[in-house]
Amino acid sequence: YPLNVATTCARRHADPAHMAGYQTAAGPLPTTQFAAYTESVHFKALTETQDLSAPTCNDCHGNHGAAPPGTGAVTNVCGTCHAVFAEKFAMSPHKDVFERGCIECHDNHKI
């Protein structure tokens, strides 16, 4: 159920002891994603306005995948729902300047 997904994922992914040893190219995998997500516009839409179509963890990451599905860049994930913005970004001069796409300005969990 959409309102339970983030809390369910956070049981493990926000637990530093459980996540110890998991690495990214930049170092240890952070455990702050849930805290950041709870401050996001997506979480507020889901919980405050009961918009069950607002994205939660598995909408971007899949149900059991660690990396967002189909990504060479996080822009591809955001662009799945925000297609108009992704198209405008791809045609803008910002594309060549911002290597990380959307998350250069918007972060990836605390949007």
Side-chain angles (χ1 to χ4, degrees):
Y1 185 69
L3 291 171
N4 299 332
V5 171
T7 303
T8 300
C9 295
R11 286 186 189 136
R12 293 289 185 220
H13 294 284
D15 178 357
H18 179 79
M19 298 307 293
Y22 288 93
Q23 297 287 317
T24 69
L29 188 67
T31 56
T32 57
Q33 297 90 330
F34 177 71
Y37 173 70
T38 61
E39 296 179 36
S40 75
V41 66
H42 291 153
F43 181 80
K44 290 179 188 337
L46 181 66
T47 59
E48 292 175 12
T49 65
Q50 302 292 299
D51 179 356
L52 300 182
S53 68
T56 188
C57 306
N58 62 339
D59 290 299
C60 298
H61 293 279
N63 288 326
H64 297 103
T71 62
V74 75
T75 306
N76 296 338
V77 175
C78 301
T80 301
C81 294
H82 301 287
V84 171
F85 295 108
E87 184 178 325
K88 288 180 187 239
F89 179 80
M91 296 178 351
S92 79
H94 295 119
K95 178 180 178 268
D96 296 329
V97 178
F98 297 117
E99 293 177 11
R100 299 179 337 147
C102 306
I103 64 171
E104 291 283 347
C105 299
H106 298 283
D107 200 82
N108 53 342
H109 293 106
K110 185 180 177 182
I111 296 99

